Structure formats: structure tokens, C-alpha cells
Amino acid sequence: MTEGAARPVWGRTGGAPTDPPTDVPPRLVPLLRQYDWGVGRLLDRLRGPVVDSGDGERVDVVPLDDAEYRWEPVPGAWSVRRHADGPAPGATVLVGAGEWGRDGGRPHPWPPPVTTIAWRTTHLLEMLELRAEHTVGDRRRLEGDLRYPGDAAGAVAALEAAAGAWRYALTTADDAALDQVGRSTYPDGDDAEMPFLDLVWWMNQEVLHHGAEIALLRDLYAAAHRA
């Protein structure tokens, strides 16, 4: 989170941590509300104790634990693992500066590997945190500079902090900034060629589609481990 920015707190049934600031450009407001809803639902789906089913019903949620966080639904799935253990089959590197790294490869293999909740969560928080930094921060760090959490609680906390950092970056954009090409200098994407408003839309779909993938993996884990 950028220094001095208020840290948003998303509720237990999705939705915005606060109303959009009154000076947010009108065309950004619906995208900011969509982002808040997607982040809120994802965090609720990970930490519990309840999540909105989508039709107003509250569904009980067991908080994500370490075993489920790193559960491999198929052999050789890409995940977050200790550097000392080396990367998964098909991966060429463990990205990250700390004890834990995320499986990666250049070029990315085809077909894409199946990935764990840990991989998807850290991939998402990396994009949120680094895009925020390359929009309103020091614009220095890369994915290899991050310390990826090896535990579920640390990952959920890091995801919420990264989501708050990107939300702050969104609220600093005036109407002219939404049309600015290259406002974000994040190097692992097409940011340098995109108007900022297009990038806002893109990051919303990243939150929504990775959130759906994580929710499905949670359902599969529960079914596979049901007594």
C-alpha cells in the first residue's frame, strides 16, 4: 500500500469497503464498484466464515488452511514451494526473493499447467501489488523481488494488501489519466501500450476469473477430502 493511503477493509459479503470518492471520474465508478465486489467476494471465499452465494444467501466457509493452499489437484501442478525443493516438473524457475518461490517458466509451456490455489493467489497479488507500484510507487520492483507467502494466512493478508494498493492507484486517476497510455509501467504486460482505463478493465477481469478458479479449487478440495 502506498504510504499515507487508507487501508480498505472489505466486508464479509463482498462489496465496496467504502463508497467511491466523490472526485472519481464517472466512467471509473462502475469499474471501481465491480472491482470492490470481486475482491470482497474472493476474500470472503478464502477467509470465511461466510460468503454471499450470489442470490443473497449466506453460505458457511471454512477458512483456507496451509494444506488446501498448496494442494495439488493433479501430479506436477505448479505451486508455491521452497527454493530448496526446486521447481515443479515443466517449470524452469521458482520466482521470488524469499524462502518460497512460485513455479514459472520462459516461455510459458503449452498447454498451460494446472496450478494450485497458492499459485493463483500469488500470481494475482503480484499483478495487483506491482501494477500499483509501477503506477503510483517507486516503479522499481519486479516479480523476482517479491516474497511469496508459503502459508494460507499470509497469502490472504498479502492479497488484501495488494488489492488495497491497486485500489488506491485507481482512485488517484483523474479523467485525463484514464486516457493516458503507459500510466502504468509494469513490465510484464502490455501496460506501455494501453490507456489506463483499458488496464483497469483488464485487472477487473483478472480478479474475477482467478477468483472463480480459486473458488472452484476450494469446491474440489472439499469434495476430495469429505469424510
Side-chain angles (χ1 to χ4, degrees):
M1 175 75 69
T2 303
E3 186 175 356
R7 183 176 185 271
V9 178
W10 280 271
R12 279 182 160 63
T13 56
T18 61
D19 289 331
T22 56
D23 56 349
V24 167
R27 54 187 170 143
L28 180 59
V29 169
L31 289 171
L32 185 58
R33 290 190 184 279
Q34 182 188 55
Y35 174 76
D36 286 337
W37 180 253
V39 170
R41 281 193 57 120
L42 174 55
L43 289 172
D44 287 348
R45 193 68 176 80
L46 290 170
R47 67 190 175 193
V50 295
V51 67
D52 189 312
S53 66
D55 59 6
E57 295 292 328
R58 289 178 172 236
V59 178
D60 292 339
V61 173
V62 177
L64 184 72
D65 64 21
D66 294 351
E68 184 180 358
Y69 175 63
R70 297 195 300 273
W71 173 63
E72 297 187 9
V74 299
W78 283 18
S79 189
V80 169
R81 59 190 83 241
R82 289 182 173 87
H83 281 282
D85 296 331
T92 59
V93 65
L94 283 171
V95 179
E99 177 184 4
W100 297 84
R102 193 184 73 240
D103 287 314
R106 293 287 187 273
H108 205 66
W110 187 264
V114 175
T115 55
T116 63
I117 292 174
W119 195 99
R120 294 171 196 269
T121 303
T122 53
H123 169 64
L124 183 56
L125 73 85
E126 172 204 304
M127 288 190 293
L128 292 165
E129 182 173 340
L130 291 185
R131 277 200 162 99
E133 178 167 324
H134 283 265
T135 301
V136 293
D138 293 337
R139 303 174 187 254
R140 288 199 301 252
R141 288 188 305 161
L142 304 174
E143 63 177 3
D145 299 318
L146 297 184
R147 294 180 176 272
Y148 296 99
D151 66 294
V156 174
L159 176 61
E160 184 170 16
W166 178 242
R167 189 182 197 274
Y168 172 76
L170 298 182
T171 62
T172 66
D174 59 18
D175 202 62
L178 295 180
D179 294 321
Q180 182 182 343
V181 175
R183 177 175 172 81
S184 166
T185 59
Y186 177 69
D188 294 325
D190 297 326
D191 300 39
E193 302 159 10
M194 298 175 68
F196 192 64
L197 188 65
D198 289 358
L199 182 59
V200 174
W201 173 89
W202 176 258
M203 287 305 297
N204 278 12
Q205 71 81 30
E206 290 284 353
V207 169
L208 294 169
H209 94 255
H210 284 307
E213 292 168 343
I214 290 167
L216 176 58
L217 284 173
R218 295 222 65 188
D219 290 342
L220 291 174
Y221 181 86
H225 294 80
R226 191 171 293 134

